[in-house]
Amino acid sequence: MATADDRSMHTPDGTSHANAAAGPTRARRIAVPAITVAVLLVAWEIVVRAGMVPNFLLPSPTQVVAALVGDSALLASHAGTTLVESALGLVIGVAVGFVAAVLMDRFETIYLALDPLITISQTIPTVAIAPLLVLWFGYGLAPKVILIVLTTFFPVAVSLASGFRSTDPDMIDLMRTMGASDLQIFLQVKLPGSLEQFFSGLRISATYAIVGAVISEWLGGFSGLGVYMTRVRKSFAYDRMFAVIILISVLSLALMRLVDLLERVSMPWKQEEGK
Amino acid sequence: MATDSLNNMPGNDVPPILEARHLTLSWDGGAHVVVRDISLEVGESEVVCLVGKSGCGKTTILHALSGLTAPIEGQVLLRGADISGRPGKVSYMLQKDLLIPSKRIIDNVCLPLVIKGAPRKDAREIAAPLFERFDLAGTEQKWPSQLSGGMRQRAAFLRTYLQGNEVALLDEPFSALDAITRVDLRSWYCDMARDLGLASVVITHDVDEAVSMADRIYVLSGTPRAGVPTTVAGVVNVRREQAMAQAGVDDFALTPSYVACKRQVLELLG
C-alpha cells in the first residue's frame, strides 16, 4: 500500500541540512588537536633548551621520551601490576555497582537507605582513606583493590540506578498488558534501556580505576606505577616522573577507548540512530 | 438518516466481547472520582471510539478496560468473565509506538510471544509471514530508528496483534503522525482490524477520526479536575455501509450521514 510514510522521510533540501549538522570532518577533528599538542610540545622544548626554566625542575619533552624508552622494561613490569589491580578492582566495582543499582531499583527501601550513603561515600577523599586501608589490609593487593572498588562502583551504581528509574512508565504499562513479570520487564526493557547510562558511568569508573591504583600504590607496596613514581620522585628524576605520568594518561585513555569499543559492540542500534 | 438518535444503545443482538458495566474510576483510590457509572460494549470486529475533551479521563477508562487499574465500582467483562484489574487479557497500544530501540523490528513485534514463553526462534517464525500483510516487508532486521513514524506504528500494531487477544485498546494511536500519514493509517487500521476479526476501542479527541473509524462512538463529558466526574453524554451509532449505499458513493466522508454524525458528536461534546 502506498502511504505517506516514505514521502514524509524526504525533504527537498534534506542533504544540505544533513551536511550542516555533521560538523567538522574527521580529518579536521584529528588534525586540529594534533597540531595543538605538537605546538605546545615544541614550545616546551624551546623554553627548556633556552634555559628559561632550570632543566632539573622541568625536563624537556625529548628527555621525557628518552626516559620513557630507557626505562621501558621496568615501566612495563610496574604497569603490569597496576593494570592487574585496576582490572580486578574495576570488575568487582562494576559488579558491586550493578547489584546496588538493581537492588535500589527493585526495593524502594534499599534506594532510600543507600542513596545518601553512596553520595556521602564519594565525599571521602581517596588519599585520606588509602592509608587506613594499608593499615587494615597491609601492603599487598587487597587494600589497592578495595580502594579501586570504592571509587569505581559509584559512577556505575548511580548512572545505572538513574537509567532504571528513567524507564518510560508507559513502556512498563505496555509490558504489563502483555502479561510480563517484573523480571521480564527488567530484562527486556529496563536493562537494555539503561545501557547508555551504564557505559557513561563505566567510562568514568575506568579512569578512576587507574588513578585509584596509583594513589594506593603511593602509600605502600612493592610494585606498580605508583611505587615507581614515589621512587623517582625521591631521587629527583623528574624526566622519569613525567614519563610515568604520560604512561598513566595513556593507560587511562586506552581503557576509556576499550569501554567505547565495548559500548559500540553492545549497542549496535546506536550506530544506526546516528545516521 | 442512517445515524441513530442520541443516547441510543447499540442495536446489536450479538453479545458483546468486551463490556464495561457501571464503571466508576478514581486516580487516587477513591477520594477523587474521575469517571462515574460508565457502561460500554464492544462487539466482534467492531471499532468503538471514545471521544472526549483532553483531561476528561479517556486514558483512565482505557487503563481500567486493560486491567492495569481496578475500578472502585463496576466490572470489566471479557466474554462474560470478570477481568477487572487483571492485565494481559486485552491488548493495548499507545500514542507512542513504544518500540524498544535495542531490539530489531522482528524481535520487537515478537515480544508478546516471548513474554508468554515462546522460544525466540519459534516466535520469529510465527511473526515473519505477517510482515507482508502489515506492509512491513523488508523491515524485519531493521532497528526502530530506521523506520518512519507510520511504519513504526504499523509495527506496534503487529506487536499488538501478536498479543493474540480478541480486543485491542488504542490510546490516540495516530495523533503523533503527520496529517497525511494519519488519514492513510487509520483507514488501513480499520481494514486490517476487520480482516483480522479484532475488536477495537480507540480513544481520540479528533471528531473526524472518530466518525471515520467507528462503528459506535461514546461521547464523554465531564471535567474531573474541576470536580465534575466524566459520564457518557451519548452514544452515536455509525452505519457506514448503509449511508454509502444510500448516497451511492464509496467514501463515507461524502455522505450526509457523515456530517450528521459529526454534528451529533460535537453537540454532545458541548
Side-chain angles (χ1 to χ4, degrees), chain A:
Chain A
M1 185 189 73
T3 69
D5 304 342
D6 299 325
R7 273 168 277 163
S8 66
M9 288 171 76
H10 303 293
T11 54
D13 56 350
T15 318
S16 62
H17 277 307
N19 284 344
T25 60
R26 185 178 161 80
R28 202 168 137 75
R29 278 205 306 273
I30 294 169
V32 172
I35 291 168
T36 309
V37 171
V39 168
L40 285 173
L41 286 174
V42 169
W44 177 3
E45 186 78 29
I46 291 168
V47 165
V48 176
R49 290 206 180 196
M52 284 183 254
V53 178
N55 193 215
F56 71 90
L57 281 182
L58 183 68
S60 71
T62 46
Q63 287 170 323
V64 173
V65 172
L68 198 59
V69 173
D71 251 8
S72 56
L74 189 59
L75 277 169
S77 133
H78 283 295
T81 307
T82 303
L83 279 176
V84 167
E85 290 164 0
S86 303
L88 202 58
L90 185 60
V91 168
I92 299 171
V94 169
V96 172
F98 182 85
V99 171
V102 171
L103 291 175
M104 284 162 74
D105 177 63
R106 183 73 186 79
F107 305 103
E108 196 179 34
T109 312
I110 294 184
Y111 177 80
L112 294 172
L114 287 188
D115 191 45
L117 282 182
I118 288 178
T119 309
I120 290 167
S121 77
Q122 294 309 298
T123 62
I124 303 167
T126 313
V127 283
I129 199 170
L132 279 175
L133 292 173
V134 172
L135 194 68
W136 292 335
F137 300 103
Y139 290 100
L141 190 64
K144 297 169 179 71
V145 172
I146 291 169
L147 189 78
I148 298 164
V149 170
L150 287 175
T151 51
T152 56
F153 96 97
F154 174 76
V156 170
V158 169
S159 55
L160 253 185
S162 142
F164 292 155
R165 290 178 85 82
S166 65
T167 305
D168 187 343
D170 285 341
M171 190 68 226
I172 295 173
D173 278 348
L174 182 72
M175 292 291 285
R176 287 178 57 213
T177 66
M178 293 182 196
S181 65
D182 284 348
L183 181 64
Q184 284 172 322
I185 292 174
F186 177 76
L187 292 176
Q188 302 282 352
V189 178
K190 286 189 172 183
L191 194 57
S194 307
L195 273 181
E196 203 166 350
Q197 283 101 322
F198 168 74
F199 279 108
S200 301
L202 185 61
R203 201 173 291 111
I204 298 168
S205 290
T207 53
Y208 282 7
I210 302 272
V211 174
V214 171
I215 289 175
S216 62
E217 287 162 0
W218 281 352
L219 297 152
F222 311 106
S223 173
L225 292 174
V227 173
Y228 174 91
M229 206 179 229
T230 314
R231 286 178 190 162
V232 296
R233 184 170 51 85
K234 282 180 179 163
S235 59
F236 300 102
Y238 290 143
D239 52 345
R240 291 179 183 181
M241 190 77 171
F242 274 91
V244 72
I245 289 169
I246 289 169
L247 184 58
I248 289 166
S249 291
V250 168
L251 288 178
S252 295
L253 281 173
L255 210 53
M256 279 175 76
R257 295 291 296 173
L258 193 67
V259 174
D260 286 344
L261 189 70
L262 203 62
E263 182 176 4
R264 273 209 294 279
V265 172
S266 314
M267 302 174 68
W269 63 93
K270 292 302 286 183
Q271 318 297 318
E272 293 303 327
E273 281 174 18
K275 283 180 186 171

Side-chain angles (χ1 to χ4, degrees), chain A residues 1 3-5 7-9 168 170-171 173-180 184 188-189 192 268-269 272-273, chain B residues 63 87-88 92 96 98 100-103 111 115 135 143 145-146 148 150-151 154 159 163 180-181 184 188:
Chain A
M1 185 189 73
T3 69
D5 304 342
R7 273 168 277 163
S8 66
M9 288 171 76
D168 187 343
D170 285 341
M171 190 68 226
D173 278 348
L174 182 72
M175 292 291 285
R176 287 178 57 213
T177 66
M178 293 182 196
Q184 284 172 322
Q188 302 282 352
V189 178
W269 63 93
E272 293 303 327
E273 281 174 18
Chain B
H63 271 219
Y92 200 173
K96 292 178 276 184
L98 293 174
I100 299 173
S102 57
K103 289 185 186 296
L111 196 58
I115 284 171
D135 290 324
W143 302 105
S145 62
Q146 294 176 288
S148 67
M151 289 166 96
R154 283 204 296 273
R159 179 182 61 191
Q163 282 185 250
I180 299 168
T181 310
D184 282 344
W188 174 85

